[in-house]
Amino acid sequence: MEAVLAHLRGAIERGEYPVGEKLPSESALGKEFEVSRSVVREALRGLQALGLTVSKTGKGTFVTATGPVENPTFGTYSARDLFEVRRHVEIPVAGYAALRRSTDDLDLLGHLVERMDLETDNTAWVALDSLFHITIAQASGNPVFGKVIEEIRDALARQSSFLNQLGDRRTRSNTEHREIVTAIASGSEADAIAAMTSHLEHVENALTTIVRPSLTTHQNKDD
């Protein structure tokens, strides 16, 4: 999927598929790249998330821009929407969870991170990822937090899948999740807040790397 998306993205950015032009059909792209239609479909979803294309039911996929948008959309919400909410909700929630979590909460979180370490299917991993963050919200002892995360669950899943496929985030996320669980288990509000803050910063940086790679390269040179 990464190879198909990279090729199509490059072709669009080079002007080989100008704005307004229809991309080849899923079956045609599948034959060209010798991959299944499901792989092509995921690549096309990636282009749409980047803001390069739009899919019209029954008509196909059309190019809408020559470069990715800075604020891609995942389902109903944009990346900026999600990051703003996550910073203001999930970071303090982790702190509350460290202070209020039960033994059952810790057992479930430990079980989830173990399953995520072993999971190889991206769709299944994303489902576990969503459950992981919902469980932390529930461990905070405030049911409103759980409702907030449930509301953005679909968008978070779409974003997570996007980052895992294009940014190779899954392995690093597993490590970060374990650090969050360790901090919550320790009962340290400060450590839990720091662990969740670090996790969300890595997620945001991964998205920036995908959407604006030239900016990331420039920042690395400045460092």
Side-chain angles (χ1 to χ4, degrees):
M1 194 284 286
E2 292 179 18
V4 175
L5 181 106
H7 176 88
L8 292 174
R9 176 179 178 174
I12 291 172
E13 292 179 340
R14 290 190 299 271
E16 294 174 18
Y17 292 113
V19 172
E21 183 167 324
K22 179 182 175 181
L23 294 181
S25 66
E26 290 180 5
S27 59
L29 289 171
K31 290 179 181 178
E32 179 182 351
F33 294 103
E34 299 182 345
V35 296
S36 67
R37 291 184 64 174
S38 62
V39 170
V40 172
R41 197 171 297 118
E42 285 298 317
L44 294 178
R45 286 174 183 164
L47 290 176
Q48 189 166 346
L50 288 168
L52 295 172
T53 63
V54 63
S55 178
K56 298 180 180 180
T57 304
K59 296 183 178 179
T61 300
F62 295 82
V63 178
T64 56
T66 57
V69 295
E70 292 190 10
N71 186 29
T73 299
F74 299 98
T76 308
Y77 305 109
S78 72
R80 185 178 299 120
D81 294 334
L82 294 176
F83 285 130
E84 285 181 357
V85 169
R86 298 189 75 181
R87 281 194 295 264
H88 287 87
V89 174
E90 290 198 80
I91 290 175
V93 158
Y96 288 128
L99 299 174
R100 302 171 181 170
R101 82 290 186 276
S102 67
T103 300
D104 287 343
D105 292 326
L106 291 178
D107 287 344
L108 179 53
L109 287 171
H111 176 66
L112 288 172
V113 294
E114 288 177 3
R115 286 184 62 189
M116 294 171 84
D117 278 341
L118 298 173
E119 186 57 65
T120 57
D121 180 75
N122 187 58
T123 300
W125 188 95
V126 166
L128 292 170
D129 180 46
S130 296
L131 184 56
F132 175 81
H133 287 279
I134 290 172
T135 300
I136 292 176
Q138 294 171 339
S140 72
N142 186 332
V144 178
F145 287 135
K147 292 291 185 182
V148 172
I149 303 303
E150 281 281 7
E151 167 62 26
I152 62 174
R153 183 177 190 169
D154 178 65
L156 289 178
R158 290 170 183 261
Q159 183 186 72
S160 182
S161 179
F162 178 75
L163 292 176
N164 288 345
Q165 292 173 329
L166 301 185
D168 193 25
R169 273 288 302 161
R170 197 161 69 191
T171 299
R172 182 56 191 161
S173 285
N174 286 341
T175 300
E176 293 162 12
H177 287 163
R178 283 196 174 276
E179 291 170 351
I180 292 169
V181 173
T182 298
I184 290 175
S186 75
S188 170
E189 180 181 13
D191 287 352
I193 286 175
M196 184 62 80
T197 299
S198 176
H199 175 54
L200 295 184
E201 286 177 347
H202 280 106
V203 171
E204 191 164 357
N205 289 340
L207 184 65
T208 299
T209 299
I210 294 170
V211 174
R212 293 183 287 169
S214 59
L215 175 60
T216 305
T217 301
H218 178 69
Q219 288 175 333
N220 290 339
K221 287 181 179 180
D222 288 344
D223 292 341

